[in-house]
Amino acid sequence: METQSVNNAASSEVVIVGAGPTGLMLANILGGYGRSVTVLEAMDRLIDYPRGVGLDDESFRTIQTVGLVDAVRPHTSPQHIMRLVNGVGKVVLVNDPHTDEFGWARKHAFIQPEVDRALYEGLTRFPHVRVLFGHRVEEVVEDSGSVTAIALVTGEDGEVAERRFQARYLVGCEGGKSPTRKRLGVTFDGESPPTRWLVVDVANDPLGTPNVFLGADPKRPYVSIGLPHAVRRWEFMLHDGESEEQVTEQAFVDALLADHVPDPADLQVIRRRVFTHHGRVASSFRKGRQLVAGDAAHLMPVWMGQGWNSGMRDATNLGWKLAAVLSGQAEDTLLDTYTTERRDHAKAMVELSLTFGKYIKITNPALALARDAVSSVLNLFPQVKSYFAEMRFKPMPRYTEGVLADPTTRESGRARPELTSGLVPVRTANTKVSPVGVQFPQPRVNTAGAENVLLDDAIGNWWSVIVWGNSPKDVLPEESLATLRALGARLVAVVPETQRAWAETYMDPDVLVLGDHTGRMKQWFDDRPTPLVFVRPDRFVAGACLTQHAPETLDAILRAMSFTGRTADAITASEPLAARNCPTGALSS
């Protein structure tokens, strides 16, 4: 779909610069909400070689939201175990988390080109979304009401033409050298360690071990990763004085691999290249009508496998907010919360990755010996060992500012991480850690029409009000219910499976009744004195409270959201994207 504006520019609501994973996911989210999007990519095709190797549960939940699980899963290996070994091959620590609180395994290996292609092909469902390759954005003009991207396109005859694309917002997802970020004039703070690494990807995996070994060998630290589709990746740290030309020669690579395989010369190499780790975060992710996401907003060292996943978090956070602004449900100021909510967590992931990298790449033999000795002692303590095995050292996103309401004071836009009310339900609670600002869990539930389905597939892709044991219509006043109707929120009652048939008969037909047949929802509510929860479209908890505090909590959330009171014009809250019969359209190339 292409329309022409008054200045002869092709028009859509959002222009995304860059058809990498973040840009493609953001386009899928916006397309599912009925928004028109143009993706402009300078290259003439998607990148077809492996880059990222780790996909986490948060990202898989977003893939579920946009209805692409079946397309992505064939290119993944769940429960990807990481083992840190020292120079003599002794295991120093194991990272093997088994939690599935968000509905999916905590860690997956994946083949990025295939997953990125699934995101790209998923856009064919939306005739109002298109991807244009060979369009290099050279200039952007912004005024009070729109932004225009000026792209250069080389024709088959070699002639270069200029095309203009007008939109209400532009999102730069064009990588670490992002021209969009540079136009914003923001700083890109952090460090780029001088250490270089050689990456070697091979087909027909000669080892077959399905997991990850981080070789903390002081002579030359390395990584060996088993990936789906029989791909094996090695990464070797390079020493000073080893030039890129030298280390990519066949003889040098064969020498590095000699300790790993019997015959390095017989490997089917996909690629080999040299790269340097970067750890940087933009000081702001937005200025005016232009925003940045993914590597354009932050560069992650590879150690925690969070580069691709951090881009998914950006798209998940930004997508629903753009949809709300474009539909008229929220004022433009909602987009300021994108930086507020995402930047601190991105910074924390960068810092953790840098720290972990320094732990692995010690080359001083004495320091390496000390590290191994300390690690061996710590492994004797079950709690410490579990801390690493279950990946609890990874900072989960917790928003303390943004589209939130404090569960104790009902303050708008802020939420303290602890419940401090003096009421007996709080004083006697199993935990006083606030659920506001973190992701709501995703157990399996039963509905009248389906059994054992994941929560998100039941409640849809927009706002939800989830109440334990009660009907939301019985505990909320009519004024609040009218506001929730305008917001498009789904009203959800969760009851033990034993009570589901009764609740489906007793409660209003507008209320979705979920049967908690696993007991996991009951346990969550049992631990927390917050029987009523407001869940955002990105599955984060915006507010949680006792039912009598619900009207005040809702009002505080909507103020933080800059809610206009208008009914969304193209946002469907009643069914998830995965269940939609989306019309098929062709992507432009």
Side-chain angles (χ1 to χ4, degrees):
M1 179 179 70
E2 179 174 324
T3 60
Q4 297 293 322
S5 65
V6 293
N7 64 355
N8 203 34
S11 179
S12 58
E13 291 175 305
V14 179
V15 163
I16 297 172
V17 183
T22 304
L24 293 172
M25 178 55 82
L26 181 59
N28 272 280
I29 293 171
L30 290 170
Y33 286 137
R35 313 324 309 182
S36 60
V37 182
T38 301
V39 182
L40 303 176
E41 170 55 53
M43 298 177 62
D44 58 4
R45 62 178 64 87
L46 296 176
I47 294 176
D48 59 0
Y49 54 79
R51 290 163 289 151
V53 295
L55 192 161
D56 67 18
D57 51 351
E58 297 170 67
S59 295
F60 231 114
R61 194 173 189 179
T62 299
I63 291 166
Q64 174 194 351
T65 297
V66 298
L68 294 176
V69 165
D70 290 344
V72 167
R73 290 187 77 180
H75 312 298
T76 68
S77 296
Q79 299 298 144
H80 208 213
I81 302 170
M82 182 194 74
R83 296 182 178 91
L84 178 65
V85 298
N86 62 16
V88 296
K90 180 182 178 181
V91 175
V92 176
L93 65 85
V94 177
N95 176 221
D96 181 21
H98 288 275
T99 179
D100 62 351
E101 63 182 312
F102 299 139
W104 303 96
R106 178 59 54 90
K107 294 175 62 181
H108 305 72
F110 78 121
I111 298 296
Q112 183 177 341
E114 297 299 332
V115 172
D116 289 357
R117 179 160 294 280
L119 297 180
Y120 168 67
E121 292 176 351
L123 296 175
T124 61
R125 299 171 294 173
F126 313 119
H128 44 283
V129 176
R130 61 192 180 133
V131 180
L132 301 176
F133 291 99
H135 283 62
R136 187 174 72 254
V137 176
E138 290 287 304
E139 185 180 354
V140 173
V141 178
E142 181 177 342
D143 58 35
S144 60
S146 67
V147 60
T148 301
I150 303 171
L152 299 183
V153 184
T154 302
E156 295 181 359
D157 58 0
E159 292 293 319
V160 178
E162 184 181 278
R163 294 190 66 187
R164 292 173 175 261
F165 299 87
Q166 187 182 65
R168 288 179 61 183
Y169 295 96
L170 179 146
V171 185
C173 303
E174 66 271 73
K177 297 181 179 179
S178 168
T180 303
R181 186 189 66 247
K182 294 173 182 177
R183 281 194 302 272
L184 299 188
V186 299
T187 59
F188 205 32
D189 306 315
E191 60 179 290
S192 296
T195 310
R196 297 168 302 138
W197 293 77
L198 173 68
V199 175
V200 182
D201 291 321
V202 302
N204 303 322
D205 185 356
L207 303 185
T209 51
N211 298 302
V212 183
F213 289 94
L214 298 182
D217 186 343
K219 295 179 181 178
R220 188 187 295 272
Y222 67 89
V223 184
S224 177
I225 310 174
L227 296 173
H229 304 339
V231 173
R232 167 70 50 176
R233 168 171 293 185
W234 281 279
E235 300 178 12
F236 297 96
M237 196 180 87
L238 300 178
H239 299 309
D240 294 340
E242 294 176 337
S243 67
E244 183 167 350
E245 293 74 20
Q246 173 190 358
V247 302
T248 53
E249 290 177 354
Q250 184 68 45
F252 188 94
V253 175
D254 287 352
L256 292 178
L257 293 171
D259 288 339
H260 296 262
V261 296
D263 186 5
D266 195 39
L267 298 177
Q268 184 178 338
V269 177
I270 299 171
R271 68 158 187 161
R272 48 181 180 249
R273 73 177 184 94
V274 175
F275 72 96
T276 301
H277 295 167
H278 300 277
R280 297 184 178 274
V281 182
S283 57
S284 178
F285 295 179
R286 182 207 181 188
K287 187 176 181 180
R289 295 187 172 274
Q290 300 182 60
L291 306 98
V292 289
D295 285 354
H298 38 70
L299 287 174
M300 298 276 167
V302 301
W303 299 113
M304 300 303 300
Q306 289 299 305
W308 196 91
N309 296 294
S310 292
M312 294 300 104
R313 292 188 192 100
D314 291 347
T316 306
N317 186 286
L318 179 58
W320 76 268
K321 294 176 180 178
L322 277 170
V325 172
L326 293 169
S327 72
Q329 279 206 309
E331 301 289 352
D332 174 90
T333 50
L334 171 61
L335 300 181
D336 292 333
T337 67
Y338 168 53
T339 296
T340 303
E341 293 183 345
R342 281 295 304 133
R343 187 179 182 279
D344 284 350
H345 184 260
K347 186 172 182 290
M349 288 307 311
V350 166
E351 291 172 348
L352 177 63
S353 297
L354 287 170
T355 300
F356 198 59
K358 292 174 183 176
Y359 179 82
I360 293 169
K361 62 186 185 182
I362 294 173
T363 56
N364 182 296
L367 293 178
L369 187 63
R371 172 200 60 199
D372 297 347
V374 170
S375 299
S376 297
V377 171
L378 291 176
N379 270 323
L380 297 176
F381 297 90
Q383 286 185 325
V384 176
K385 188 174 182 178
S386 174
Y387 177 76
F388 288 102
E390 295 299 325
M391 210 172 175
R392 292 200 297 272
F393 56 84
K394 173 189 170 186
M396 297 301 294
R398 171 179 280 280
Y399 304 147
T400 57
E401 294 184 52
V403 184
L404 312 164
D406 187 87
T408 303
T409 67
R410 271 78 67 198
E411 179 183 1
S412 177
R414 295 180 183 273
R416 297 165 184 80
E418 185 177 3
L419 304 171
T420 59
S421 169
L423 292 174
V424 169
V426 175
R427 298 205 315 266
T428 59
N430 292 339
T431 178
K432 293 181 176 59
V433 176
S434 171
V436 177
V438 299
Q439 278 198 57
F440 195 70
Q442 188 187 198
R444 290 186 174 271
V445 295
N446 289 339
T447 72
E451 293 186 351
N452 200 40
V453 297
L454 286 167
L455 176 69
D456 295 354
D457 289 338
I459 65 176
N461 67 315
W462 199 236
W463 285 83
S464 298
V465 182
I466 301 178
V467 183
W468 173 262
N470 276 310
S471 167
K473 281 202 163 183
D474 290 342
V475 298
L476 290 169
E478 178 53 39
E479 184 178 357
S480 294
L481 292 171
T483 301
L484 289 168
R485 283 193 293 271
L487 179 63
R490 191 69 179 267
L491 302 181
V492 181
V494 183
V495 297
E497 176 63 17
T498 54
Q499 298 179 35
R500 181 166 61 86
W502 165 83
E504 288 168 353
T505 301
Y506 168 77
M507 293 183 184
D508 191 285
D510 290 341
V511 174
L512 173 67
V513 176
L514 302 181
D516 177 33
H517 66 293
T518 68
R520 296 179 75 170
M521 291 284 272
K522 177 177 179 288
Q523 181 180 351
W524 191 93
F525 282 103
D526 183 53
D527 286 340
R528 296 162 179 84
T530 52
L532 189 148
V533 182
F534 296 93
V535 180
R536 305 181 342 177
D538 58 2
R539 316 307 183 185
F540 278 76
V541 176
C545 58
L546 296 169
T547 56
Q548 290 181 347
H549 284 147
E552 188 180 353
T553 301
L554 173 61
D555 290 345
I557 292 169
L558 296 181
R559 287 197 302 274
M561 179 185 166
S562 305
F563 183 57
T564 63
R566 300 175 191 167
T567 301
D569 60 9
I571 293 174
T572 301
S574 59
E575 59 178 324
L577 291 181
R580 287 197 188 178
N581 181 20
C582 297
T584 300
L587 292 174
S588 301
S589 60

